[in-house]
Every structure is written in structure tokens, then in C-alpha cells.
Amino acid sequence: MPRRVSIFGATGSIGQNTIDLIRRERERFEIIALTGGANVSQLTADARELGAQVAVTAHEDKLADLREALAGSGIEAAAGEAALVEAAERSADWVMSAIVGAAGLLPGMTALQHGTTLALANKESLVTAGPLLMAEAKTHGATILPVDSEHSAVFQALVGEDMAAVERIIITASGGAFRDWPLESLASATLAEASSHPNWDMGQRITIDSASMFNKSLEMIETKEYFGVEASQIEVVVHPESLIHAMVGFNDGAIMAHVGPPDMRHAIGYALNWPERRELPVNRLDLVQIGQLNFRAPDEARWPALRLAREVMETGGLAGAAFNAAKERALDGFIAGKIGFLAMAEVVEEVLARISAETGLSSAQITLDNVREMDHLARQRAEEVIGAS
Ligand code: NDP
């Protein structure tokens, strides 16, 4: 029986890599839903090629274009948030959650509530509503498979292991575009400079988040929520080669490291084939040619996002939702040229300070509604801070 698959965020970097893998073994998969945002032509081309049941654009004003492009294909066209949720309710065996930003939470949560295996690339889901997401998965007997390369690496290093024996989880960071820049130059870093990554080919937003280490800060929180460890057990190490993605340190002093090429098709393919391991079209590493691997401590003056992530983990509750929303707005501000590169962390820190009294809740008190309210509030506060800067 082919595996019934839906891809949320199909037109993005993760979505396209997922489609690349599916295309290579077409007969193993039946495509239920593909979703995108503004890129209707990519969505249409993929839906037609893969024979999807339904194609959904997040933007209601694109529905007419989508309908016209799919005319005669027999593929349903739909648009908007409710249509994304409806697509997530359709029976599937495996759903890829690869929408960028907090918008990915609701479709992913809906898939889990239907007991579907969720391949989770959308890191914002765990950052904003980790306890809720993990509880829903448990209640509905659904599996969450991490797709972020670091978390896929930890997941693989933990196969057959007992979490009680885990002392620490070490996630690596390339250091992004500005790893070796003089600190004093960072304030004037341009959008183009921040949008180029030394090792990984990813969407623009996550590439900029890599340069600021907001990406790593989200991953620290994701690690805590997904693997259920304490913040003090999570370490970040700068590893410029991006070949070791993560390591798990055990109570006998052993460290299990996951080593692989910087190609997202590895983590996506692992999740797509899980629990099997199948051949993947990624480069094989030549360790002799690589010669050496380097590691250094992350400099928190260069990357204040790492310190902010620790504060967010200490606070818990809705702090992750506030942190992510403020970060998304600050990133919008940087992309729009309203604030400088370093000001992104200043905006987030200021927003967290302004709403600190409202973020501290116990995990059990987190609901989809209060996550969304906090997301809204933090975005408003971020706009105010950006406006006043
Ligand atoms: P991209 O920006 O490349 O793609 C994002 C996808 O989401 C596109 O399909 C886009 O549609 C769609 N989208 C954008 N806004 C909305 C919205 N408001 N509602 C619904 N859909 C929307 O992102 P990436 O593929 O790089 O990243 C996706 C997720 O995976 C992110 O959470 C990221 O942090 C995470 N991730 C990415 C990695 C990578 O290598 N790229 C690695 C690990 C995690 P359209 O393009 O048509 O507008």
C-alpha cells in the first residue's frame, strides 16, 4: 500500500526537498494535500505532477489564481487558515509540517489530533506550544518525528537508549554568515550579507536566523520540549564545518555523535522512511579529505539570542510564544530595512521585559487560545518597540 502523505509548506525549501525524495520513489507514496503561500505556480506544478487530492494556498486572495491553474486537473483548490486545517484533517499516514513561522502550529496540531505521524520541521510549533503539542501527540497516539537536522541527529543517537542515562545534549551551530566578522561590523550588516549561509542552503528567514543565532535559540527550546531535558543539560557548540549535527552525552562518559553532510534531505529522508533506514541521494563524507573538525564556545556578546533562549526556558509557560512572535516581527523589521541586524535581539529582549508578568504559566495551563493571544500581544509590543526605535 502506498504511504498517504501531506506536505504543509510544500513550496518552501523543506517542502521542495521532501518532494524531491518522493519523486525518486514515486510508487511508494500517494499525495493527499500540498499547501503553499504566495507561490501558486510552484504549488500548481507540484500538485499536478504528484496528483494531489487537494492544493491549498494560505492566501485567500490567491484562490482564484489557484483554481484557474488547476482547472481540468480534478485537483481540489482551497485557501485560507480554515482550509489548511481541513487539509490536515484528511486521512494521511505521514504529514510534513514545513510551514515557516507560528502559522505552522495549527495544521500540525490538527494532524496530531487525528493520530497522524507528524514530521516536524516547523520548529516554532515546539517553541510556542511544546507542552501542548507533546500532550496532544500522547493523547491521540501520534508520533512526532523531528526534522530539524540537530533534533533528527539526537533522535538517531538515542535509538535504543534510556533517557535516564542521558547527561547532556550538545547541538552544534555553524555560526552563520557572521561567525568571523569583527563584532563592531555587525550593526551595519546588510540583508544580503545576512541571507547567505556558509554551509546550508535554506529559506531566507532561517538563514538570517542562523546569522543571529535566533535559529539556534529556537533549537535549544525545541530540544528541551521534545526530549524533555532540563535547560542546564543543553549545550551549544560552534562547529564551523556543520558535519556533526548533534551529540548526546551519557552517564558513562560516552558521547554519541551524528555525522553527516549538510543536506536536509538526510533528516527529511530519515523521517520519511522511519522506522526503516533507506538509501538517500546525499553525498557520502570522505573523512580523510575533511581532515579535521573544529569546535569553539559560542560568544554570547556576538549572539545574545542564546542568552535570551536560556531566560525563556527558565520562565517556561508562554515565554516561548512571546519570544518567537517578537523574533518573527523583529526579523520582518530587519528584512524591511526598519531596524539593523543587532537591533533584532534588542527588540526581542525589550518585548520579553514588557510582558514578563504575563508569560509565566505552568505547562498544564498552556492552550491553543492563550498561545495565540500571547503571539498577538508580543507582535503588537514588537511593533511598538520597532516604531519607537
Ligand atoms: P521557506 O520560507 O522556504 O518555506 C516556507 C513555506 O511556508 C512555503 O511553502 C511558504 O509558501 C509557506 N508559508 C509562508 N507563510 C505562510 C503562512 N502564513 N501560512 C501558511 N504557509 C505559509 O521555509 P523553510 O522551508 O526554510 O522552513 C520551513 C520550516 O522548517 C521553518 O519552520 C524552518 O525553521 C524549519 N526548518 C527549515 C530548515 C531548512 O533547511 N530550510 C532546516 C530545519 C528547520 P510560499 O513560499 O508559497 O509563500
Side-chain angles (χ1 to χ4, degrees):
M1 286 283 282
R3 203 158 195 207
R4 293 166 307 156
V5 165
S6 291
I7 306 172
F8 288 78
T11 52
S13 167
I14 293 285
Q16 290 293 299
N17 276 310
T18 309
I19 289 174
D20 175 72
L21 293 177
I22 287 175
R23 193 179 275 132
R24 290 163 191 266
E25 292 188 279
R26 190 61 202 88
E27 66 295 344
R28 289 184 58 219
F29 304 101
E30 176 187 342
I31 306 303
I32 307 299
L34 294 183
T35 86
N39 195 348
V40 167
S41 57
Q42 186 68 57
L43 180 62
T44 310
D46 293 333
R48 281 182 176 273
E49 179 196 343
L50 300 176
Q53 226 176 58
V54 59
V56 185
T57 162
H59 305 307
E60 300 199 6
D61 59 353
K62 300 267 179 207
L63 182 57
D65 293 349
L66 184 63
R67 279 213 177 108
E68 194 184 317
L70 288 173
S73 67
I75 300 166
E76 293 169 56
E81 192 180 66
L84 287 171
V85 170
E86 194 276 327
E89 285 170 344
R90 293 191 185 212
S91 186
D93 302 310
W94 189 92
V95 166
M96 167 56 80
S97 167
I99 288 174
V100 66
L105 174 61
L106 195 51
M109 183 83 84
T110 306
L112 287 178
Q113 287 165 343
H114 286 74
T116 312
T117 296
L118 187 70
L120 189 62
N122 175 268
K123 55 190 80 192
E124 297 84 354
S125 295
L126 279 170
V127 172
T128 58
L132 186 60
L133 206 73
M134 298 307 285
E136 288 291 331
K138 200 168 170 193
T139 305
H140 299 280
T143 302
I144 303 179
L145 298 170
V147 171
D148 223 342
S149 58
E150 294 74 6
H151 306 82
S152 173
V154 173
F155 186 87
Q156 293 180 52
L158 284 172
V159 170
E161 302 288 353
D162 181 354
M163 275 310 287
V166 172
E167 271 181 1
R168 57 188 176 140
I169 293 180
I170 306 161
I171 53 176
T172 60
S174 69
F178 304 138
R179 181 183 60 217
D180 300 315
W181 275 37
L183 256 184
E184 55 281 9
S185 309
L186 286 185
S188 57
T190 65
L191 178 60
E193 287 163 340
S195 302
S196 113
H197 196 283
N199 304 335
W200 293 91
D201 179 16
M202 307 184 287
Q204 186 192 36
R205 295 181 73 86
I206 186 173
T207 301
I208 301 169
D209 281 350
S210 294
S212 62
M213 286 261 197
F214 268 113
N215 180 46
K216 207 53 53 183
S217 68
L218 297 180
E219 288 173 9
M220 291 164 74
I221 302 169
E222 218 184 334
T223 302
K224 177 174 181 289
E225 300 298 345
Y226 186 83
F227 296 103
V229 294
E230 298 297 325
S232 58
Q233 291 175 280
I234 302 168
E235 295 173 23
V236 174
V237 170
V238 175
H239 167 48
E241 293 87 0
S242 293
L243 295 177
I244 295 184
H245 305 304
M247 295 171 260
V248 179
F250 292 93
N251 57 5
D252 61 354
I255 292 180
M256 300 292 281
H258 178 281
V259 191
D263 184 333
M264 280 312 294
R265 291 177 305 173
H266 177 80
I268 296 168
Y270 184 81
L272 188 61
N273 296 321
W274 182 87
E276 252 187 283
R277 221 183 243 286
R278 292 172 69 94
E279 194 176 324
L280 292 172
V282 300
N283 290 337
R284 274 39 178 179
L285 295 180
D286 179 339
L287 294 176
V288 173
Q289 197 187 16
I290 291 161
Q292 60 178 21
L293 299 176
N294 292 282
F295 304 96
R296 31 176 138 141
D299 169 5
E300 293 199 358
R302 179 179 296 272
W303 295 299
L306 300 178
R307 171 178 52 80
L308 295 176
R310 295 216 177 269
E311 290 171 15
V312 166
M313 288 191 284
E314 286 302 317
T315 309
L318 294 173
F323 179 66
N324 180 66
K327 190 281 294 177
E328 287 193 21
R329 270 290 172 266
L331 179 57
D332 292 340
F334 175 65
I335 291 173
K338 292 183 188 163
I339 56 172
F341 181 76
L342 288 181
M344 286 192 285
E346 290 161 13
V347 168
V348 174
E349 183 155 21
E350 178 62 25
V351 171
L352 289 175
R354 287 191 188 190
I355 54 181
S356 63
E358 293 150 86
T359 49
L361 291 181
S362 74
S363 298
Q365 290 171 298
I366 298 180
T367 64
L368 209 47
D369 283 344
N370 60 27
V371 166
R372 284 162 82 98
E373 277 164 26
M374 179 51 71
D375 180 276
H376 186 67
L377 180 66
R379 280 172 205 267
Q380 262 180 353
R381 294 288 174 273
E383 289 297 345
E384 289 162 17
V385 177
I386 292 169
S389 66

